[in-house]
């Protein structure tokens, strides 16, 4: 077992001439909740897709538990994409069967308990669910696996604050202790308290990687405030005078 | 009791302070068993590792002891708890006195105003 769960060396991804990630070196340990923070277009989703093997790097290397992305790494990664990938005619019970078939580490009982806590019935169809409920359904499925690495791409975007609290507490109480959770988001104020570490991405580069408490200690401000300073955009002041 | 976390300081420090307050005020009585880390973390909505760090500080402060059989318990040493309580009370008094000083009250005036308030 590699002591570092994730090792990225010189990771680079080009889309045509567009550099989405540019020589990223990063190591993440086990048993941590890590925020992947950056504005839109900074490379968060690209990094997550490279980690789960959906994209191949243009240059550099991804190692998960010491292995290159492949069947082994897929078996230990539980991935929540940034958009829904289930057919909308499916029912909650279909999805549970689906996950049971696909993943040996899927815990049906745990999923059933979480669904009933949320008043989501096995016969409910995705088509009839609200946006927030759909997000919750996907999160329940993803967190019901006993994975080593949970990759959550924008799990709290587009849901109301109460649903956010539910999602964050689900993450806190359900991740397995030797597993690491990587949450990508730009809604930092909401996730800050649950994070051990923060990784700041800007234009495809890691510009900062530190623990949340160390950042607060050094800067005397929250990670959210620091983020706003690093990524401040100068407002357009109108045309020339 | 609610957890109050502000933005400007490390979270673990704030947790340590609030756990300490809970111990000196008897929310967690001397000799009693502390709730498990995960439960405390979920209640405060924070990362379990952060709560763990706060509890480690309480251990270093001698307010909490970990033993193999009973888990984590509040110290039996009521005197030690009393000393911490006294120190916290002094800090609060200092805050009051300096706050009143900015309004132009001397320490004596501040004290007598406080007594009058109590008689009301």
């Amino acid at each position: 077992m590699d002591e570092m769960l994730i090792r990225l060396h010189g990771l680079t991804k080009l889309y045509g001439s567009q550099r989405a990630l540019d020589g990223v070196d990063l190591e993440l340990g086990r048993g941590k909740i890590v925020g992947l923070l950056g504005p839109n277009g900074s490379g968060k989703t690209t990094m997550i897709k490279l980690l789960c093997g959906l994209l191949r790097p243009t240059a550099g290397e991804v190692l998960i538990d010491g292995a290159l992305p492949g069947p082994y790494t897929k078996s230990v990664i539980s991935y929540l994409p940034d958009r829904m990938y289930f057919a909308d005619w499916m029912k909650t019970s279909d999805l549970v069967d689906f996950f049971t078939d696909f993943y040996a580490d899927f815990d049906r009982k745990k999923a059933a308990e979480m669904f009933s806590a949320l008043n989501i019935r096995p016969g409910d169809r995705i088509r009839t669910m609200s946006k927030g409920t759909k997000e919750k359904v996907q999160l329940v499925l993803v967190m019901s696996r006993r994975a080593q690495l949970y990759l959550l791409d924008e799990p709290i975007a587009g849901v109301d604050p109460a649903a956010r609290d539910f999602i964050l507490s689900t993450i806190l109480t359900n991740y397995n202790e030797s597993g690491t959770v990587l949450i990508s988001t730009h809604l930092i104020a909401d996730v800050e308290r649950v994070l051990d570490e923060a990784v700041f991405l800007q234009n495809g580069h890691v510009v900062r990687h530190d623990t949340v408490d160390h950042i607060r200690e050094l800067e005397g401000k929250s990670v959210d405030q620091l983020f706003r300073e690093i990524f401040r955009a100068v407002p357009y002041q109108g045309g020339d005078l | 009791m609610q957890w109050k976390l502000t933005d400007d300081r490390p979270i673990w420090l704030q947790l340590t302070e609030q756990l300490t307050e809970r111990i000196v005020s008897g929310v967690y009585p001397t000799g009693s068993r502390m709730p498990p880390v995960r439960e405390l973390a979920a209640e405060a909505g924070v990362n379990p590792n952060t709560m763990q760090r706060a509890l480690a500080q309480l251990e270093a402060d001698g307010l909490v002891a970990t033993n193999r059989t009973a888990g984590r318990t509040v110290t039996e040493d009521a005197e030690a708890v009393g000393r911490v309580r006294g120190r916290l009370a002094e800090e609060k008094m200092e805050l009051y006195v300096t706050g009143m000083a900015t309004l132009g009250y001397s320490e004596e005036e501040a004290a007598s105003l406080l007594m009058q308030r109590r008689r009301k």
Side-chain angles (χ1 to χ4, degrees):
Chain A
M1 198 157 99
D2 193 334
E3 105 198 65
M4 283 294 164
L5 185 58
I6 297 179
R7 291 180 196 269
L8 307 179
H9 302 298
L11 189 63
T12 302
K13 179 69 188 176
L14 299 176
Y15 297 119
S17 63
Q18 180 84 11
R19 270 176 196 272
L21 281 183
D22 192 5
V24 168
D25 293 306
L26 183 68
E27 297 192 337
L28 297 175
R30 296 170 186 275
K32 296 183 190 303
I33 302 181
V34 182
L36 184 59
L37 314 177
N40 298 323
S42 56
K44 303 189 294 291
T45 295
T46 299
M47 187 189 280
I48 285 184
K49 286 186 171 169
L50 286 163
L51 286 168
C52 50
L54 290 175
L55 291 175
R56 297 184 134 272
T58 310
E61 189 180 51
V62 175
L63 293 174
I64 313 281
D65 192 23
L68 291 167
Y72 169 70
T73 66
K74 289 186 192 218
S75 73
V76 299
I77 292 176
S78 190
Y79 168 49
L80 178 73
D82 61 348
R83 62 190 65 169
M84 187 88 180
Y85 63 96
F86 305 127
D88 69 356
W89 54 263
M90 291 180 104
K91 291 182 291 199
T92 315
S93 59
D94 296 329
L95 293 170
V96 168
D97 291 342
F98 205 54
F99 266 65
T100 309
D101 284 348
F102 267 88
Y103 303 111
D105 60 359
F106 183 70
D107 186 341
R108 269 186 96 101
K109 193 165 153 264
K110 193 167 172 181
E113 281 167 10
M114 282 198 262
F115 280 135
S116 85
L118 285 165
N119 292 320
I120 297 171
R121 289 176 302 258
D124 290 353
R125 268 181 212 283
I126 293 179
R127 191 188 302 137
T128 63
M129 292 175 186
S130 69
K131 189 169 181 182
T133 305
K134 283 181 195 163
E135 293 270 351
K136 288 180 197 163
V137 165
Q138 292 188 86
L139 187 83
V140 164
L141 292 167
V142 165
M143 295 310 292
S144 295
R145 289 185 53 196
R146 285 196 64 83
Q148 288 192 46
L149 177 59
Y150 299 88
L151 296 173
L152 312 180
D153 198 354
E154 295 284 3
I156 56 170
V159 299
D160 65 73
R164 260 175 220 179
D165 283 349
F166 171 82
I167 287 172
L168 291 175
S169 69
T170 302
I171 294 170
L172 272 180
T173 47
N174 288 292
Y175 82 101
N176 106 46
E177 274 139 270
S178 63
T180 282
V181 185
L182 186 65
I183 305 175
S184 94
T185 188
H186 50 249
L187 299 167
I188 300 171
D190 290 311
V191 299
E192 186 164 346
R193 282 185 192 187
V194 313
L195 302 179
D196 286 292
E197 295 175 11
V199 174
F200 281 59
L201 266 186
Q202 185 174 31
N203 302 327
H205 296 272
V206 172
V207 290
R208 190 141 184 184
H209 176 203
D210 204 345
T211 68
V212 167
D213 272 344
H214 193 236
I215 289 174
R216 286 177 169 228
E217 217 167 302
L218 281 182
E219 310 282 342
K221 60 181 92 137
S222 66
V223 174
D224 183 51
Q225 286 164 316
L226 181 67
F227 180 89
R228 286 166 199 264
E229 281 169 30
I230 293 183
F231 299 112
R232 186 187 308 282
V234 181
Y236 178 61
Q237 300 284 352
D240 35 33
L241 298 168
Chain B
M1 229 173 137
Q2 282 289 322
W3 297 88
K4 288 192 200 94
L5 299 172
T6 63
D7 276 347
D8 51 340
R9 296 165 58 234
I11 296 164
W12 74 272
L13 260 181
Q14 301 183 51
L15 295 174
T16 305
E17 289 164 3
Q18 288 169 45
L19 286 166
T20 304
E21 279 172 17
R22 288 177 181 209
I23 289 171
V24 301
S25 64
V27 174
Y28 305 137
T30 46
S32 71
R33 198 169 177 161
M34 292 288 287
V37 178
R38 288 211 147 219
E39 195 181 310
L40 286 170
E43 194 190 303
V46 301
N47 187 297
N49 294 324
T50 312
M51 187 57 82
Q52 179 65 41
R53 187 169 176 195
L55 287 163
Q57 183 59 46
L58 291 188
E59 255 173 67
D61 294 344
L63 286 176
V64 158
T66 305
N67 53 52
R68 245 169 293 155
T69 47
R72 205 178 253 109
T73 55
V74 180
T75 179
E76 304 272 0
D77 186 353
E79 260 176 57
V81 174
R83 277 196 300 277
V84 173
R85 188 163 177 243
R87 181 170 57 73
L88 290 177
E90 259 167 51
E91 284 172 20
K92 300 267 185 218
M93 285 188 282
E94 194 58 38
L95 272 179
Y96 173 67
V97 169
T98 53
M100 291 299 276
T102 63
L103 298 177
Y105 290 100
S106 72
E107 246 177 72
E108 289 71 27
E109 287 166 334
S112 76
L113 277 173
L114 189 64
M115 294 309 289
Q116 280 171 32
R117 178 183 177 275
R118 196 173 289 165
R119 271 186 234 113
K120 256 186 223 164

